[in-house]
Structure formats: structure tokens, C-alpha cells
Amino acid sequence: MTAIRLDSLVPRTHRIRDKRQLTPQVHSFRIEGTLAAKAGQFILAWVPGLEELPLSVVEDDGQFLTLAFFVVGQGTQALAAMQDGDLVGVRGPFGTHFDPGSARNVAVVGGGFGSAPMLNAGKAALAAGAALHVVLGAKSREMLLFREPFEALKPASFVIATDDGSEGHKGMLTEPLDALLAGGKIDLVMACGPDRMLSAVSDVCHARGVKAQLSVHRHIKCGYGLCGTCVVGRQGIRLCKEGPVISNDLYRSIDEVRTFKRDGLGVRHPF
Amino acid sequence: MNLSRTVLGMTCANPTVLASGMMGIVAGGWRRLATECGCGVITTKSMWAAEHKGNADPVVLSVPEYTLNAVGLPYGGAEVARAEIGDYMTDKPAPLIASVVGLNAQDFVDIAEVVVPLRPDALEVNMSSPTFLKLRGSFLTEDEHEFSGIIGAVKKAAAGIPVLVKLSPNVPNIGEIARRCVAAGADGIVAINTVGPGMAIDLRSRMPILSARKGGVSGRAVKPIAVRCIADIYAATEGRTPIIGLGGVTTGEDAAELMLAGASLVGIGTAIWERGPEVFGLVAKELEVWCEAEGIKDVSELTGGMHRELASKGTPYA
């Protein structure tokens, strides 16, 4: 049976199903069909009559597309209130993806809601024949995302870190990550999470001489690389086209990704 | 052959111009286009003096045949203008046209007073965004008293910097409007802004997709409208007012066509989607190749070429 194709340049609404709440602020739902998305790519979800917002692709198994979001504003609140059978628009997939290449030992690092696209990244690493190492972090144990699905991948190693110490290592996940890299086996790190975490992960990977791919998030508007809202750095990198996944080398050459974020109007907000 | 031009005091390596509203908010984007993508002149995003929220997303829909947009002129105000133009001016890799917008003469003067001290090479007065239809029900060019007043006020604030006016094609008399803008003091005309407005509907939800419902149409499909509008403007202004022509330009031959209609410089925006930011250098190269094959020594020979051809046959354009 041919799968329903969900990939589209413009929003098309579909009926959602299997709507679930995963953590206090994270919800997910599924749509029947496939986007043929690669790990790390994003879609823009449209709540008709309200707003459009970027969502993470958690899974795209060829039969069902699973999307997740973190409730933070009006649009995500509206999505959180939706029920199975309601219509949500989807366009995408957009942007660059995590690429395991020929790496033999890949560390997949997810902080907080940043873990959302990393399950797919882990699967991509396994599909490329690499051994998978998972580093998962969150504020506390109930904020950990996809712990069981990551465990189900049977990773070669799995470390958890929580800020409050309610599970695993107490403190930032960069500490256990650094210990993992010190072992000398990891040849690629893939990471997604809050800006401060990403900056710290970048430093650790750079110091240990390990290549990394980081998913950088900024305000996205058009998704086509036209409007300029997501442009960062002196190099004029468009994060909806040349990102969100970028190499650590590129990340470290763009001063502003570590110092400020722009809002949708171009105003700088320092971290 | 020579692709370089000097128009209204702006000397550029080739006649391509970044259209306002495309990759135009931050200095990094302008710098990339000017230094790595072959863009001849940069036009900024239209700037307001005060913070202005645009429309809720979705604001842009792009398919191969056209792009539909109702971004809504979002802008962070004077602080963003100063930060970005200030940054760009540290090395200024290409001439910069500062596009300004407002709802009345005072608004325009407020933003002109912010940007003029930063010494852009020209100001573009945006009189034609379809967002005006939503904000005030009509384009600024519908009332001659009003637009003359705006042009006069901006000219005063511009203190000698050339003032260009960007016009909408969605009028029955663009040539006449251009002529009156020039009479009011405009040093140049930028044409065209987007066409329409247009709309798109999602089938299952039955809802308009753009949050603003209607938006301006751009892309390859609008080129014939741009060509005709530029020709109208060139004729109405007797070929004496520089025109930055844009609308659907994707290739070097498209650029040549708009120049024959009357453009001195050619803007590119939506084609960034199809051909990437490198489109400027690609179009410049294609234009150069075409001119060389035709024995054209200087790209300026193309400007108004159609009008001269028609006149030579005793059948002038207007």
C-alpha cells in the first residue's frame, strides 16, 4: 500500500490522531502518512485561523508521522488543546539534517525539549551502521523525553543527567558527555537543546577534538530562505535553509549564536 | 563588455539589486549577498521608526509558479536600523538603498531622520506594500496630495541623498502616478511591488492559508506585468528618470528584457528561492554572456531600447 505523502511546500491540513501528553509541557500527535523527512529537519505546523509554528519531527516511519511540541505560547496552547480528528496543517520538511556519514560511534545528545528530533538522529546513526551512545538531559526526571524509546534502541551506552539530580548525574549533561568523549571512541556528536547547553556541548566537543553537528533554533518565518528572519552571523547563514543542523566548525564561527537571539522583528535579545 | 553602472550616484559592479523584503533585515545577509553572491546593490527591508508587528504566520507561500506573501512589514524600529546599517557601513561591500515605510508623512520623516545620518546611498519610499490595504484601506499613491506631501517631506529629510519611490502595479495608471511622483521631487522610481493581492485556500479546513488572507503575488508569473509597468513609467517620465525595474526576474535574459522596457538597474527577490542567493551573480553572468553575443559593449545601452526601436519605426510606445 502506498503511503500518503505529507510533504508539501504549502500548508495542507490533515486530521490528527493519537494525541498524547509526554511530559508536563510536551505533547505529541500523529498524522497518517509520511514526509520522507530526514533526522533534524523540521516542519511548520499550521493551526488554521491562528498561527503557524515550527515543530520537531519525532518519527517518520513511512506509515505515520509523529510530531512533538513544547507548550510555550498561544499557538502551542491551541495545539495542546486539540483532539484526535482535529485539522492541523503541515508544510515541509525543511532545513538540513543530522548526517552520520561514516562515523563508527555516534553520541546523540538531547537537552530538554531538544531531545525531540534526536530519537530520529539515533535511528539514522544505527541505520548507517554506527554504534549509538545516548546522552539525555533535563531539568528533572519528569522532564526527560523519550527515555524508553531511546532505551528500546539498545544503545551501546546511555547516560542521563538532571539539573536537580532526581535521576542520573546531577548537573549539566556536558559533564557526562565530556567523560564519554574522553574515552576516545566517539567520532561524531549530534546535539539539540537550549542555547546554553549547545554552547557548552560545542566547547566540550571542540576541546576533545570530536566533530559535532548542532541543531540551532531561531525564529522561523517563511521556511523558504526568503524573508531573512532566521539569518545569523556575518556570513548571513539562513537557518531554515543552511540549518538548523550545522557543523560545530560553522557554529563556532558565528559569534552571535552564542551571544544573542533575534526575535521576529530583528531585535537582538542577549542571552 | 562593461556590466558596471553608476545610477543616481551609486556605482555597482553589475546592475542587479536586492529587492526590499528578501533576506533584507540584517547586515550579515546583505554582506553575504554583496560579497559572495554577486549582488550589485542592496535594498533593506522596509523600516519603520517604531517597532511594528507584522502578520501572524503563515506569511509566505511559495510554489514553483509563484510566491504569495503577506509578511506585514514587521520591523524592530530605529534600534534595528541603526545596528544593522551601522554594522554594514563598516565595510559597505555594495551600495545600500534604505527602504522606509510609514502611514503618513510624519512616519516617513521619523525613519528618514534615523537612517539619513548613517549615509545610505539612496532612500526607497515604500508607497506600495499590499499591507497598506490592511492598515489603511488604500495604497499611499491613491491620493496625489498625500503622496506628494510624503515625497516632499522625505526629500527634505534626505538632505541630498537620492529619493526613490516604489510603486504598485495594481493601479490603472502607473505611468501617470510615476510622472507625478517625479514632479513632487522623486529622483527615481522602483517598480513593481507585488501584484494582486491574491489568495490561497486550504481544501480540508476551507480556510485562507495566509493569516492576512490576501497577499502580494511575485515570482516568474508577474514578469509581463513588470515589463509593461516599467515601459509605461519610462514613457511617462520621458526616459529621464532612473528606474529600478523588478518583478519575476530569474535569468539574465529577464534582466535584459526589463532594461529594454526602461530599467537602469534590475531588482531580484523571489528568484532567490528557485536559484539560491547566488542568483545575482548568475543573472549578471548570463546578462554579460548575452550582451557579448549580441555585440553590446556596455549594459547601459539596453536601457529603454524598446522605446528607441519603436520610435525609430515611427510608432512610439506612447
Side-chain angles (χ1 to χ4, degrees):
Chain A
M1 189 191 120
T2 329
I4 297 164
R5 289 299 292 247
L6 300 172
D7 46 311
S8 173
L9 287 169
V10 296
R12 283 195 223 289
T13 53
H14 306 277
R15 301 206 176 276
I16 67 168
R17 50 184 293 160
D18 307 317
K19 173 115 180 335
R20 289 164 53 206
Q21 182 159 4
L22 303 179
T23 75
Q25 274 169 295
V26 178
H27 298 246
S28 71
F29 60 86
R30 302 205 298 174
I31 295 174
E32 188 180 350
T34 181
L35 266 181
K38 298 197 169 84
Q41 288 191 303
F42 65 97
I43 61 102
L44 285 155
W46 175 45
V47 179
L50 185 61
E51 205 185 336
E52 189 183 48
L53 40 144
L55 293 197
S56 291
V57 176
V58 172
E59 187 148 23
D60 188 6
D61 64 12
Q63 223 200 325
F64 289 103
L65 172 69
T66 308
L67 301 170
F69 57 95
F70 186 91
V71 178
V72 62
Q74 232 195 341
T76 41
Q77 273 161 26
L79 277 176
M82 282 192 167
Q83 321 233 335
D84 287 4
D86 285 348
L87 287 170
V88 172
V90 167
R91 67 180 168 110
F94 294 118
T96 52
H97 58 275
F98 289 109
D99 183 4
S102 53
R104 305 314 311 146
N105 282 279
V106 176
V108 152
V109 181
F113 183 65
S115 307
M118 302 319 287
L119 196 57
N120 248 356
K123 291 179 185 174
L126 290 171
L132 178 64
H133 304 258
V134 178
V135 180
L136 205 61
K139 286 198 170 87
S140 64
R141 67 187 312 222
E142 58 269 0
M143 310 281 242
L144 287 166
L145 204 52
F146 301 137
R147 185 232 204 97
E148 288 83 20
F150 273 119
E151 276 168 356
L153 295 180
K154 297 202 185 354
S157 75
F158 193 165
V159 173
I160 283 176
T162 48
D163 289 349
D164 66 359
S166 52
E167 179 90 25
H169 172 87
K170 182 176 197 295
M172 279 192 87
L173 56 70
T174 39
E175 291 155 43
L177 173 64
D178 188 51
L180 179 63
L181 298 187
K185 268 176 81 178
I186 305 295
D187 48 3
L188 179 63
V189 171
M190 297 175 171
C192 184
D195 290 291
R196 274 203 191 86
M197 179 210 108
L198 229 48
S199 183
V201 166
S202 169
D203 285 341
V204 164
C205 293
H206 181 73
R208 291 284 178 193
V210 177
K211 282 193 158 69
Q213 295 167 7
L214 310 175
S215 179
V216 179
H217 288 252
R218 287 296 183 270
H219 206 96
I220 299 279
K221 201 168 250 305
C222 77
Y224 302 113
L226 287 176
C227 74
T229 303
C230 66
V231 171
V232 293
R234 280 184 75 87
Q235 307 95 319
I237 302 294
R238 301 170 298 169
L239 284 175
C240 70
K241 287 293 270 188
E242 290 111 23
V245 179
I246 60 176
S247 72
N248 199 19
D249 286 345
L250 181 57
Y251 177 88
R252 295 179 77 76
S253 74
I254 307 173
D255 293 336
E256 76 173 78
V257 291
R258 311 179 74 156
T259 50
F260 66 85
K261 262 178 128 90
R262 284 182 200 278
D263 61 22
L265 305 183
V267 179
R268 302 177 193 200
H269 297 271
F271 291 136
Chain B
M1 51 89 46
N2 175 47
L3 266 190
S4 156
R5 295 218 62 174
T6 298
V7 176
L8 290 168
M10 295 184 286
T11 298
C12 45
N14 69 65
T16 64
V17 179
L18 170 68
S20 181
M22 296 296 193
M23 285 183 71
I25 307 170
V26 302
W30 307 335
R31 189 170 277 114
R32 174 185 180 179
L33 294 172
T35 58
E36 285 171 39
C37 302
C39 185
V41 178
I42 299 293
T43 311
T44 70
K45 175 102 183 118
S46 291
M47 303 174 283
W48 303 80
E51 200 177 272
H52 189 263
K53 281 189 167 26
N55 294 320
D57 298 333
V59 290
V60 182
L61 302 175
S62 276
V63 293
E65 296 79 11
Y66 57 81
T67 287
L68 191 57
N69 98 76
V71 180
L73 296 170
Y75 200 67
E79 75 167 279
V80 178
R82 286 193 188 103
E84 299 313 314
I85 299 178
D87 177 346
Y88 183 77
M89 289 310 193
T90 58
D91 60 339
K92 199 173 114 168
L96 184 83
I97 300 173
S99 181
V100 296
V101 68
L103 289 177
N104 50 54
Q106 188 58 55
D107 283 351
F108 277 98
V109 167
D110 287 346
I111 182 64
E113 285 176 349
V114 169
V115 302
V116 164
L118 303 165
R119 311 305 299 162
D121 296 276
L123 297 181
E124 174 194 88
V125 177
N126 184 352
M127 306 264 249
S128 47
S129 167
T131 298
F132 285 131
L133 298 175
K134 189 179 169 210
L135 294 176
R136 64 192 305 278
S138 60
F139 294 117
L140 285 166
T141 45
E142 284 175 46
D143 180 299
E144 179 168 6
H145 180 72
E146 179 157 38
F147 73 72
S148 303
I150 289 170
I151 295 169
V154 173
K155 277 286 286 184
K156 225 168 130 209
I161 293 176
V163 173
L164 310 166
V165 176
K166 187 160 181 184
L167 297 180
S168 167
N170 309 321
V171 295
N173 56 351
I174 196 172
E176 181 56 20
I177 290 173
R179 195 190 62 74
R180 293 180 193 196
C181 285
V182 172
D187 301 297
I189 301 289
V190 183
I192 50 170
N193 207 317
T194 51
V195 176
M199 194 164 82
I201 300 172
D202 170 68
L203 302 184
R204 277 192 198 101
S205 68
R206 304 183 175 184
M207 293 284 286
I209 301 176
L210 293 176
S211 66
R213 299 181 182 175
K214 304 176 196 176
V217 182
S218 62
R220 285 186 182 261
V222 310
K223 191 184 67 166
I225 298 170
V227 170
R228 189 271 302 167
C229 285
I230 293 162
D232 283 356
I233 293 165
Y234 189 88
T237 56
E238 298 171 339
R240 289 207 280 255
T241 301
I243 300 168
I244 298 181
L246 68 162
V249 173
T250 311
T251 67
E253 292 189 10
D254 293 336
E257 190 178 354
L258 267 69
M259 293 183 82
L260 290 174
S264 293
L265 300 176
V266 174
I268 300 170
T270 299
I272 291 172
W273 185 64
E274 186 186 324
R275 302 192 77 186
E278 301 76 22
V279 64
F280 299 92
L282 293 172
V283 165
K285 187 71 198 164
E286 288 160 359
L287 183 57
E288 183 181 46
V289 165
W290 192 87
C291 285
E292 271 170 353
E294 295 297 306
I296 294 166
K297 299 278 189 296
D298 194 299
V299 74
S300 61
E301 294 168 37
L302 289 173
T303 300
M306 177 202 72
H307 297 266
R308 290 190 292 280
E309 181 66 22
L310 287 173
S312 74
K313 291 177 152 56
T315 54
Y317 182 75

